[in-house]
């Protein structure tokens, strides 16, 4: 069995006594798309720069295809990096930008021209070699920046929030194109981002990072539907959240008296006992509407709500509901058809969800990226 393209073992990085990366280990199999997802300042760029060789770890090891690169300078590692602002040379045309690294390797001119033409064909931009960088669209610049790295045939391509400077529509399109390019080249991509949609759409595996550590590592479905910590439940996707105190635990279900007065039931994640502080999360799309209790017979949690606003976003539209009993505001996915599709401000509706569709974690305090009740 071949060695994975990238192995990071017990990585630690400290700056003046402050720990930016704290005992992080992960493996990236050959030819996969791996993302590190987390808020600004969590340490993900520090990991990227250590892999590239721009920073030296305080401790730990980095291995590329089985060989340690701790003592290998950046220009000797078979790793390339795409930055957010792409760093294309404006005074060079497209072909010269892509061939820059090949010229530094002193390859014959004919071979450089052949490889540049070949990589332009693969990224879907044949024949644009003579064009100036300023004449390219944002998506074309993105692909040229990737081609400049891929023409060097790296073992690992590092991408540091490369879509951050693009407008929303182009960013959505480039997510699909990036994944397709990665699959076509078969090169291992290590991608860092604070944008959960980028990570969920493109990645084979994702590490969710917070305060220098990995909170959870898994595929997109696991992170979204089976979060292991309160941070992951709140950061990945949107969630309604309640804080409170556990009243009882039975059969893996926690009953919590929320601070706003509601009694809520949820699947227990982590260790909690009666009297402990906890928080419960439920996704907006799992909050089901009904006009009377009989329609919500399978729901362990029920409340009455009044629609305060509709957040229209096509198929992803949401209704904001104010709980009649407590005044708490929560989000519900707006049905696209049926009698609840026309909900509007001021409408009253019963809503509910099953206990096993919600998650109860030991309380951790305020977390980034959490919406809904709090």
């Amino acid at each position: 069995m071949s060695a994975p393209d990238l192995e990071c073992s017990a990585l630690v990085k400290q700056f003046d006594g402050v720990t930016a990366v704290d005992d992080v280990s992960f493996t990236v199999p050959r030819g996969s798309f791996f993302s590190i997802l987390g808020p600004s300042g969590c340490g993900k760029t520090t990991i990227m720069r250590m892999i590239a060789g721009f920073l030296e770890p305080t401790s730990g090891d980095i291995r590329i295809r089985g060989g340690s690169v701790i003592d290998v300078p950046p220009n000797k590692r078979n790793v390339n990096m795409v930055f957010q602002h792409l760093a294309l040379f404006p005074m060079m045309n497209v072909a010269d930008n892509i061939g820059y690294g090949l010229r530094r390797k002193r390859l014959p001119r004919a071979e450089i021209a052949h490889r540049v033409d070949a990589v332009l064909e693969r990224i879907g931009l044949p024949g644009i070699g003579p064009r100036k960088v300023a004449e390219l669209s944002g998506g074309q610049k993105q692909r040229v920046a990737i081609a400049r790295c891929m023409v060097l045939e790296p073992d690992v391509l590092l991408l540091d929030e490369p879509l951050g400077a693009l407008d929303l529509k182009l960013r959505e399109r480039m997510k699909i194109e990036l994944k397709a390019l990665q699959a076509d080249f078969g090169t291992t991509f290590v991608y860092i981002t604070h944008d959960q949609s980028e990570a969920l759409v493109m990645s084979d595996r994702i590490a969710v990072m917070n305060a220098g550590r990995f909170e959870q590592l898994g595929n997109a479905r696991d992170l979204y539907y089976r979060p292991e910590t309160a941070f992951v439940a709140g950061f990945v996707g949107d969630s309604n959240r309640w804080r409170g105190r556990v009243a009882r635990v039975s059969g893996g279900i926690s009953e919590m008296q929320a601070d706003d007065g509601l009694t809520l039931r949820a699947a227990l994640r982590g260790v909690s006992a009666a009297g402990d502080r906890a928080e419960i999360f439920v996704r907006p799309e799992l909050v089901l509407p009904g006009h009377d209790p009989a329609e919500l017979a399978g729901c362990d949690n029920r409340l009455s709500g009044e629609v305060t606003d509709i957040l229209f976003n096509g198929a992803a539209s949401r209704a904001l509901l104010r709980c009649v009993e407590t005044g708490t505001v929560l989000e519900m996915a707006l049905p696209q058809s049926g009698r609840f599709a026309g909900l509007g401000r001021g409408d009253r509706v019963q809503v509910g969800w099953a206990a096993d569709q919600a998650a109860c974690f030991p309380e951790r305090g305020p977390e980034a990226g959490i919406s809904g009740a709090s």
Side-chain angles (χ1 to χ4, degrees):
M1 180 180 293
S2 60
D5 272 352
L6 177 65
E7 295 174 273
C8 294
S9 304
L11 281 184
V12 174
K13 182 60 182 178
Q14 296 177 330
F15 297 98
D16 298 324
V18 176
T19 301
V21 175
D22 188 6
D23 194 25
V24 166
S25 298
F26 62 97
T27 298
V28 183
R30 189 164 296 187
S32 61
F33 197 126
F34 181 84
S35 290
I36 302 175
L37 170 67
S40 297
C42 70
K44 56 188 185 294
T45 296
T46 301
I47 291 178
M48 187 77 79
R49 291 177 66 81
M50 286 192 287
I51 296 169
F54 302 140
L55 288 175
E56 183 179 345
T58 303
S59 60
D61 193 18
I62 300 169
R63 304 180 73 83
I64 295 176
R65 294 201 171 178
S68 177
V69 294
I70 289 295
D71 297 322
V72 178
N75 62 324
K76 299 296 184 182
R77 302 184 185 193
N78 197 21
V79 171
N80 283 92
M81 192 164 184
V82 177
F83 298 93
Q84 179 174 340
H85 297 292
L86 306 183
L88 296 174
F89 301 117
M91 74 291 296
M92 297 182 186
N93 64 22
V94 169
D96 287 342
N97 264 280
I98 294 174
Y100 178 77
L102 300 176
R103 290 195 301 276
R104 289 181 61 87
K105 290 177 176 257
R106 302 184 183 279
L107 268 63
R109 184 176 300 178
E111 182 178 349
I112 293 174
H114 172 73
R115 288 174 64 168
V116 168
D117 287 344
V119 79
L120 281 171
E121 186 78 33
R122 292 187 71 178
I123 66 168
L125 296 175
I128 73 160
R131 292 175 61 179
K132 297 178 180 179
V133 169
E135 298 173 350
L136 305 180
S137 68
Q140 289 172 330
K141 289 177 182 176
Q142 192 77 47
R143 282 183 278 173
V144 168
I146 292 170
R148 185 173 63 180
C149 294
M150 300 307 295
V151 78
L152 296 171
E153 301 178 347
D155 294 330
V156 179
L157 182 63
L158 309 174
L159 300 103
D160 187 357
E161 307 214 37
L163 306 186
L166 304 180
D167 63 68
L168 179 60
K169 198 165 186 71
L170 180 55
R171 195 158 64 240
E172 291 299 309
R173 191 174 80 239
M174 284 305 302
K175 286 190 293 190
I176 299 170
E177 291 194 13
L178 262 182
K179 178 61 179 172
L181 284 172
Q182 186 271 332
D184 178 52
F185 280 98
T187 301
T188 296
F189 278 23
V190 178
Y191 189 98
I192 68 168
T193 181
H194 65 275
D195 186 321
Q196 56 176 288
S197 68
E198 292 179 11
L200 294 176
V201 166
M202 295 189 291
S203 311
D204 298 313
R205 296 173 75 228
I206 305 164
V208 180
M209 192 170 188
N210 179 38
R213 286 181 168 269
F214 282 0
E215 295 264 341
Q216 186 174 344
L217 200 160
N219 62 38
R221 185 170 293 274
D222 287 341
L223 297 176
Y224 191 85
Y225 289 111
R226 290 178 289 277
E228 295 176 357
T229 70
F231 180 83
V232 175
F235 191 77
V236 178
D238 295 322
S239 290
N240 297 294
R241 176 174 70 174
W242 288 264
R243 289 193 178 96
R245 196 169 296 278
V246 176
R248 60 183 58 86
V249 176
S250 177
I253 300 296
S254 170
E255 181 177 297
M256 187 185 82
Q257 190 69 35
D259 293 340
D260 65 5
L262 289 174
T263 298
L264 300 170
R265 295 170 180 83
L268 189 63
R269 307 283 176 85
V271 179
S272 292
D276 290 349
R277 293 286 302 176
E279 47 195 332
I280 283 177
F281 296 81
V282 63
R283 303 288 188 192
E285 64 269 25
L286 300 177
V287 178
L288 304 177
H291 276 312
D292 57 64
E295 293 181 300
L296 301 172
C299 297
D300 306 287
N301 303 282
R302 302 179 202 172
L303 55 87
S304 299
E306 178 180 333
V307 178
T308 62
D309 208 350
I310 299 295
L311 308 178
F312 183 79
N313 189 20
S317 297
R318 303 287 178 87
L320 295 185
L321 306 177
R322 178 178 287 112
C323 177
V324 173
E325 294 89 345
T326 66
T328 302
V329 175
L330 69 151
E331 289 188 19
M332 177 186 75
L334 187 68
Q336 298 301 296
S337 61
R339 55 193 174 133
F340 294 106
L343 281 175
R345 289 184 183 179
D347 290 345
R348 290 285 187 95
V349 63
Q350 300 285 317
V351 297
W353 59 93
D356 62 4
Q357 292 178 320
C360 179
F361 295 93
E363 188 179 62
R364 290 189 51 175
E367 303 285 1
I370 294 174
S371 64
S374 63

